[in-house]
Amino acid sequence: MSQQPPVKGKLVDQETRCEHYHKQEDIIAIKFYCCGTYYPCYQCHQECTEHDIERWPQDHFDKKAILCGVCKHELTINEYLQSSYTCPYCQSTFNEGCARHYSIYFED
Ligand SMILES: [Zn+2]
Ligand SMILES: [Zn+2]
Ligand SMILES: [Zn+2]
């Protein structure tokens, strides 16, 4: 567990839930391309930084940028997008609602 990369923002528990998203399946943190820092959600990023979000370019989708808050494995963006909302390492269920926000994080 101590291998977990640091997650900033308004965390409310050890599985990376935050003040904005804290349902059972809200268990991932996302590393932001602009600052290379993990936050639980874009609202945390906006409230804790002074800069605008830069989206991940498509040719960086092989980079590890998604943290499963349950098993602490880092997924590449491609792994995450192909995961069908299930962690490939611990089978925890991710929030399908995150798909509505992909365009905030990833180039399309
Ligand atoms: Zn940033
Ligand atoms: Zn948040
Ligand atoms: Zn996991």
Side-chain angles (χ1 to χ4, degrees), residues 11-25:
L11 293 161
V12 296
D13 71 12
Q14 296 298 310
E15 295 185 338
T16 79
R17 293 181 187 86
C18 69
E19 284 184 4
H20 317 97
Y21 295 97
H22 43 77
K23 290 206 289 279
Q24 173 66 26
E25 61 275 23

Side-chain angles (χ1 to χ4, degrees), residues 76-95:
T76 67
I77 296 168
N78 279 327
E79 277 182 308
Y80 173 66
L81 293 177
Q82 293 161 14
S83 68
S84 302
Y85 310 108
T86 302
C87 177
Y89 298 100
C90 72
Q91 319 313 321
S92 292
T93 301
F94 299 149
N95 187 350

Side-chain angles (χ1 to χ4, degrees), residues 1-7 13-16 67-74 90:
M1 302 284 269
S2 59
Q3 300 301 313
Q4 179 188 355
V7 180
D13 71 12
Q14 296 298 310
E15 295 185 338
T16 79
L67 179 74
C68 173
V70 174
C71 69
K72 317 302 184 194
H73 269 102
E74 290 182 87
C90 72

Side-chain angles (χ1 to χ4, degrees), residues 29-83:
I30 299 178
K31 184 189 283 185
F32 284 80
Y33 183 65
C34 41
C35 46
T37 305
Y38 273 107
Y39 288 95
C41 79
Y42 66 95
Q43 292 182 51
C44 281
H45 178 280
Q46 293 305 80
E47 291 173 17
C48 299
T49 68
E50 300 285 314
H51 60 265
D52 291 331
I53 292 169
E54 280 181 53
R55 301 189 299 169
W56 284 94
Q58 287 205 346
D59 59 357
H60 283 68
F61 281 14
D62 59 339
K63 297 286 193 300
K64 291 185 176 183
I66 312 292
L67 179 74
C68 173
V70 174
C71 69
K72 317 302 184 194
H73 269 102
E74 290 182 87
L75 283 63
T76 67
I77 296 168
N78 279 327
E79 277 182 308
Y80 173 66
L81 293 177
Q82 293 161 14
S83 68

